Amino acid sequence: MTLRSSGDAQLNADVSWAAFDPIAYVDHNYRDLQAEDAEILSIVRDHFGEHFRKRAVGPLSGIDVGAGANLYPALAMLPWCDEVTLYERSSANVRYLRSQVDSFDGNWDQFWRVLCKNDAYAALDIDPRARFREVVKVRPGDLFDLVRHEGEWSLGTMFFVAESMTSSHEEFRRGVECFLRALAPGAPFAAAFMEHSKGYHAGEHFFPACDVGESEVYASLERFADDFKTTRLKSSAAVRDGYSGMIVAYGRRNSDSGIPPVGR
């Protein structure tokens, strides 16, 4: 699914994603654990931990949509899944992700330690690198192509993707919809969004963003999710210039068979 440019909107298809610099992105955002990411991790780990504490865990498949150069959403799903798909469009990010599968870099250990502050993670007593190597696979793909894979995954994350790939509100909403439709009914999910982002750099290149707040995030989710919450982080907007905060959404994919197909 590709929307055509309209007015001043910069659409996902307009962007040269191969120019994304994952090393520069990691160095700026994830070389050290920042307060905002620590807060996000605490919310997500408690959501997943509580969900699976109450349920027998069978064979599960997880997906991180638009994984980019960020491993911590996959780490958050690691204990619960027999397979985790890192789904990513940028060829540069795909190369980075593949370089991390056999033994991820040491900077990601600090993120794992935050997850293990929840007993549901710590009690599993797993070697995260061995587990990552065993269950993670990298899959190139466009977010909008997930319409062909409805209900395929039983756990999902999408961090800083739908609002960070386009300046179009229509594409933002469709991106959220495609993510949630890829999950099976009842699947737990977590997603994060930059609030009122004006765009961002990854290396020398500038990438577009869609200006959304908590009300837009909530509206994009409500047709497709049950028992979900949106929360604005308490941490101040200090990662970079050009945004006002971060929003985390979490809940479960609903099972409403009456939802019309994408684009209707």
Side-chain angles (χ1 to χ4, degrees):
M1 178 195 307
T2 302
L3 301 180
R4 301 184 66 85
S5 295
S6 176
D8 295 328
Q10 187 175 8
L11 303 185
N12 182 256
D14 298 332
V15 181
S16 177
W17 292 106
F20 195 100
D21 186 339
I23 303 305
Y25 191 78
V26 169
D27 283 343
H28 182 80
N29 293 281
Y30 303 125
R31 191 60 58 195
D32 299 306
L33 176 64
Q34 304 193 54
E36 288 174 304
D37 292 313
E39 188 176 351
I40 291 169
L41 279 166
S42 68
I43 294 169
V44 174
R45 77 175 181 216
D46 293 347
H47 170 53
F48 288 160
E50 183 64 18
H51 179 90
F52 290 113
R53 195 193 313 273
K54 297 177 180 178
R55 295 165 175 82
V57 179
L60 297 179
S61 60
I63 184 170
D64 182 30
V65 173
N70 182 5
L71 300 191
Y72 78 66
L75 292 173
M77 292 187 284
L78 205 57
W80 322 115
C81 294
D82 300 284
E83 183 177 275
V84 175
T85 298
L86 305 185
Y87 192 83
E88 171 60 34
R89 176 173 180 174
S90 164
S91 57
N93 286 337
V94 166
R95 288 192 297 272
Y96 171 79
L97 293 169
R98 286 175 172 162
S99 78
Q100 297 295 299
V101 171
D102 282 345
S103 183
F104 55 74
D105 292 340
N107 62 297
W108 298 108
D109 291 333
Q110 58 197 323
F111 296 86
W112 178 251
R113 287 193 291 269
V114 174
L115 291 168
C116 287
K117 291 181 180 179
N118 183 301
D119 289 343
Y121 286 79
L124 295 169
D125 193 26
I126 63 173
D127 176 350
R129 281 183 177 77
R131 183 70 173 163
F132 201 89
R133 185 166 54 248
E134 178 185 356
V135 306
V136 168
K137 66 176 184 178
V138 181
R139 178 172 171 178
D142 188 316
L143 164 60
F144 297 123
D145 290 340
L146 289 175
V147 296
R148 304 185 182 95
H149 302 278
E150 185 157 353
E152 187 167 320
W153 287 275
S154 41
L155 177 63
T157 54
M158 184 178 68
F159 281 46
F160 313 119
V161 177
E163 83 295 359
S164 299
M165 63 172 186
T166 179
S167 63
S168 161
H169 281 83
E170 182 180 358
E171 279 201 329
F172 164 75
R173 290 188 294 269
R174 291 194 179 192
V176 173
E177 178 176 352
C178 288
F179 163 60
L180 288 171
R181 284 185 178 277
L183 304 181
F189 71 87
F193 306 86
M194 303 297 287
E195 179 189 65
H196 301 308
S197 177
K198 307 304 180 187
Y200 59 101
H201 281 90
E204 297 180 358
H205 295 271
F206 188 78
F207 295 89
C210 185
D211 185 350
V212 297
E214 193 168 357
S215 61
E216 288 87 0
V217 170
Y218 189 95
S220 72
L221 292 162
E222 61 182 342
R223 291 174 60 213
F224 311 103
D226 284 336
D227 300 329
F228 75 97
K229 296 180 180 179
T230 61
T231 183
R232 189 179 186 275
L233 297 190
K234 298 175 183 177
S235 305
S236 61
V239 174
R240 60 169 172 80
D241 294 331
Y243 75 107
S244 59
M246 294 184 188
I247 300 162
V248 177
Y250 55 98
R252 295 182 294 108
R253 168 73 164 92
N254 67 19
S255 55
D256 186 353
S257 60
I259 294 174
V262 174
R264 298 287 180 84

